[in-house]
């Protein structure tokens, strides 16, 4: 019998999309637009529980159409990312120019509000993967920020 199973693969495993992990550092929160299913696999098969409409929960990774959440996956279309405001400090004019260029190049649709009085700072509100990209950019540059 074992010989017959050799070379036979699991079709579920073969059809699973690649999951990009965000880890704790880049996780963000979403809100269920309606009662939604939580699926066992990244290809959103085997619904095993329901999250009620309005529930806020964290996303720790993603595929092309699903968010990885604690214990499973939810469809992106069923949730809305919650916007977060990030505040920077010590933002020079050159840094502001670089920040604006980054936002434009990444296609991040958000308004960057710069405050020039005192220690120059900026405020930006973003949600979902745009929020992740902004945080990764600021970390890469070593620029101070808080959320």
């Amino acid at each position: 019998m074992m010989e017959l199973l050799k070379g036979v693969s699991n079709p579920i495993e073969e059809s699973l999309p690649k999951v990009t992990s965000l880890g704790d550092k880049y996780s963000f929160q979403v809100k269920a637009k309606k009662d939604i299913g939580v699926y066992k696999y990244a290809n959103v098969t085997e619904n095993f529980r329901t999250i009620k409409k309005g529930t806020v929960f964290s996303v720790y990774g993603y595929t092309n159409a699903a968010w990885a959440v604690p214990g499973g996956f939810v469809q992106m279309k069923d949730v809305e990312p919650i916007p977060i405001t990030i505040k920077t400090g010590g933002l020079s004019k050159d840094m502001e120019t670089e920040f604006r260029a980054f936002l434009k190049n990444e296609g991040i649709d958000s308004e960057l509000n710069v405050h020039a009085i005192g220690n120059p700072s900026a405020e930006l509100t973003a949600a979902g993967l745009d929020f992740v990209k902004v945080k990764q950019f600021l970390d890469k540059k070593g620029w101070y920020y808080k959320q």
Side-chain angles (χ1 to χ4, degrees), residues 77-97:
K77 66 180 180 65
D78 292 339
V79 299
E80 105 184 83
I82 296 175
I84 303 286
T85 299
I86 296 173
K87 297 177 183 180
T88 69
L91 197 67
S92 70
K93 190 67 180 161
D94 288 345
M95 291 164 80
E96 177 191 345
T97 301

Side-chain angles (χ1 to χ4, degrees), residues 1-19:
M1 181 70 171
M2 290 305 271
E3 286 300 314
L4 290 175
L5 294 176
K6 238 183 207 180
V8 174
S9 58
N10 182 338
I12 289 177
E13 288 177 11
E14 284 181 5
S15 66
L16 292 180
K18 181 181 182 308
V19 178

